[in-house]
């Protein structure tokens, strides 16, 4: 963690009422996309928000536009010590957290055997281990406030897609982690929710069209399921789930009806993938795996900067 933490002093307004007003929220992966939009939603609901992420300039820009006090901390969620330090800073600057959204995530697209071991592991480290580190660092505060932990997962947890092995494994893992954590912390008054997020217009999906198998999987979805939602719309659904302390948050809401159909998804995906990989798209199996999106690239570049050890 680099010490760039700042507390915004520009307070435009506060919400006098509402269940979230006057409380403290922490959002990881808050530099862009869903994380930045969720920070704005929670601040608009009257919360003081701590934004954690890897991109200093983007964090500052997002925090500076929030209507309520905010804390900006550049931290790597794979660094347990850095997250513990960030938790202390949040408590000292804003107070104990009542809401923590484990949103930080990266993705890699490409065949498994063309993905370097370091890159595959980095996806697991950020998405899965980073979520566990976030929970570990902030659970003492959530226990004190009887708060709410939101684990941002994905429809990748419902069915794994070829060319996205690390991402799908990590999202299935965070779902399982959150379910296990829920049973442990409920007696302490801490609620745990899982957000299932579908196609969202972040830079992470901008590279998916370069992967024919993933393009085919999306093409075979019903028209309504192919729709790409804005980060702002997805964040609004997540914020509503946080307000309700929901056990499951679906973005978009129709995803709740997919849960009973989960046993069918692996066979459907396998059928489409087998057919697609018999076509010229098979050539993608010889392509090198790539990091998807500017946020993922920022994390990977920071991780591999000369003299940098990931924090």
């Amino acid at each position: 963690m680099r010490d760039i933490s700042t507390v915004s002093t520009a307070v435009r307004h506060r919400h006098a009422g509402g269940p979230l007003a006057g409380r403290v929220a922490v959002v990881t992966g808050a530099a862009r996309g869903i994380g930045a939009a969720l920070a704005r939603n929670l601040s608009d609901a009257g919360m003081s928000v701590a934004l954690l992420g890897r991109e200093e300039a983007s964090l500052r820009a997002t925090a500076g536009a929030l209507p309520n006090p905010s804390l900006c901390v550049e931290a790597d969620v794979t660094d347990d010590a850095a997250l513990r330090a960030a938790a202390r800073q949040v408590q000292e600057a804003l107070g104990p957290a009542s809401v923590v959204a484990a949103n930080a995530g990266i993705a890699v697209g490409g065949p498994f055997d063309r993905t370097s071991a370091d890159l595959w592991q980095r996806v697991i480290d950020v998405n899965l281990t980073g979520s566990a580190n976030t929970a570990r660092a902030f659970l003492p505060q959530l226990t004190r406030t009887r708060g709410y932990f939101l684990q941002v997962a994905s429809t990748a947890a419902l069915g794994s897609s070829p060319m996205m092995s690390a991402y799908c494994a990590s999202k299935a893992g965070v779902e399982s982690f959150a379910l296990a954590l829920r049973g442990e912390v409920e007696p302490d008054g801490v609620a745990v929710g899982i957000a299932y997020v579908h196609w969202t217009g972040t830079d992470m999906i901008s590279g998916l069209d370069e992967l024919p198998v993933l393009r085919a999987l999306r093409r075979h979805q019903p028209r309504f399921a192919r729709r790409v939602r804005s980060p702002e719309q997805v964040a609004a659904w997540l914020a509503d789930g946080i307000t309700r302390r929901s056990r499951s948050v679906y973005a978009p809401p129709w995803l709740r009806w997919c849960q009973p159909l989960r046993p069918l998804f692996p066979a459907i995906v396998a059928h489409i993938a087998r057919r697609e990989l018999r076509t010229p798209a098979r050539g993608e199996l010889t392509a090198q795996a790539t990091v998807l999106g500017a946020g993922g690239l920022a994390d990977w570049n920071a991780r591999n900067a000369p003299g940098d050890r990931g924090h």
Side-chain angles (χ1 to χ4, degrees):
M1 180 183 72
R2 289 178 56 203
D3 186 11
I4 59 113
S5 60
T6 59
V7 179
S8 171
T9 56
V11 181
R12 297 185 183 87
H13 67 274
R14 292 178 182 269
H15 282 225
L20 302 180
R23 302 192 180 192
V24 175
V26 175
V27 180
T28 67
R32 59 177 65 242
I34 295 172
L38 181 58
R40 289 191 289 269
N41 266 266
L42 296 178
S43 186
D44 285 342
M47 301 194 80
S48 298
V49 183
L51 299 88
L52 275 61
R54 293 284 271 173
E55 299 169 80
E56 176 181 349
S58 297
L59 285 171
R60 289 185 183 275
T62 301
L66 299 182
N68 279 291
S70 63
L71 175 70
C72 173
V73 184
E74 184 184 32
D76 180 352
V77 294
T78 70
D79 186 338
D80 187 57
L83 277 180
R84 290 179 184 273
R88 290 192 295 270
Q89 289 177 288
V90 170
Q91 171 131 355
E92 292 169 2
L94 301 176
S98 292
V99 170
V100 174
N103 167 74
I106 61 172
V108 170
F112 173 74
D113 65 356
R114 294 280 176 158
T115 306
S116 71
D118 285 347
L119 185 52
W120 201 93
Q121 186 63 52
R122 184 63 184 172
V123 176
I124 302 298
D125 288 345
V126 172
N127 297 4
L128 176 54
T129 307
S131 293
N133 288 343
T134 301
R136 185 180 298 111
F138 286 97
L139 266 177
Q141 295 180 33
L142 292 176
T143 300
R144 193 173 314 130
T145 61
R146 299 178 71 84
Y148 179 80
F149 181 83
L150 179 65
Q151 175 62 63
V152 178
S154 164
T155 48
L158 308 183
S160 296
S161 300
M163 308 297 161
M164 298 284 286
S165 62
Y167 184 77
C168 291
S170 70
K171 290 303 182 179
V174 296
E175 179 191 38
S176 185
F177 163 68
L179 289 170
L181 182 66
R182 177 183 292 160
E184 295 181 25
V185 301
E186 274 185 335
D188 297 322
V190 179
V192 175
I194 303 170
Y196 297 92
V197 177
H198 199 43
W199 300 110
T200 307
T202 67
D203 56 35
M204 185 182 288
I205 72 167
S206 61
L208 292 186
D209 283 342
E210 299 173 11
L211 301 172
V213 170
L214 295 179
R215 195 166 61 233
L217 289 171
R218 185 166 175 237
R219 187 174 66 244
H220 283 83
Q221 292 176 347
R223 183 182 298 273
F224 69 88
R226 298 198 299 266
R227 182 177 174 185
V228 177
R229 309 285 181 161
S230 70
E232 290 73 24
Q233 175 62 80
V234 170
W237 282 318
L238 267 53
D240 182 65
I242 289 170
T243 302
R244 299 171 183 271
R245 294 170 65 90
S246 300
R247 294 168 70 87
S248 298
V249 183
Y250 296 98
W254 60 259
L255 283 173
R256 70 178 65 254
W257 305 113
C258 291
Q259 287 285 18
L261 303 176
R262 288 180 70 160
L264 302 177
F265 292 161
I268 294 171
V269 170
H271 173 74
I272 295 172
R274 279 197 303 270
R275 184 172 60 185
E276 191 67 21
L277 289 174
R278 294 193 190 104
T279 71
R282 186 173 177 82
E284 74 179 275
L285 290 175
T286 64
Q288 201 69 22
T290 56
V291 179
L292 301 179
L297 283 170
D299 173 83
W300 185 241
N301 291 336
R303 178 70 176 83
N304 293 282
D308 188 274
R309 291 186 289 178
H311 54 87

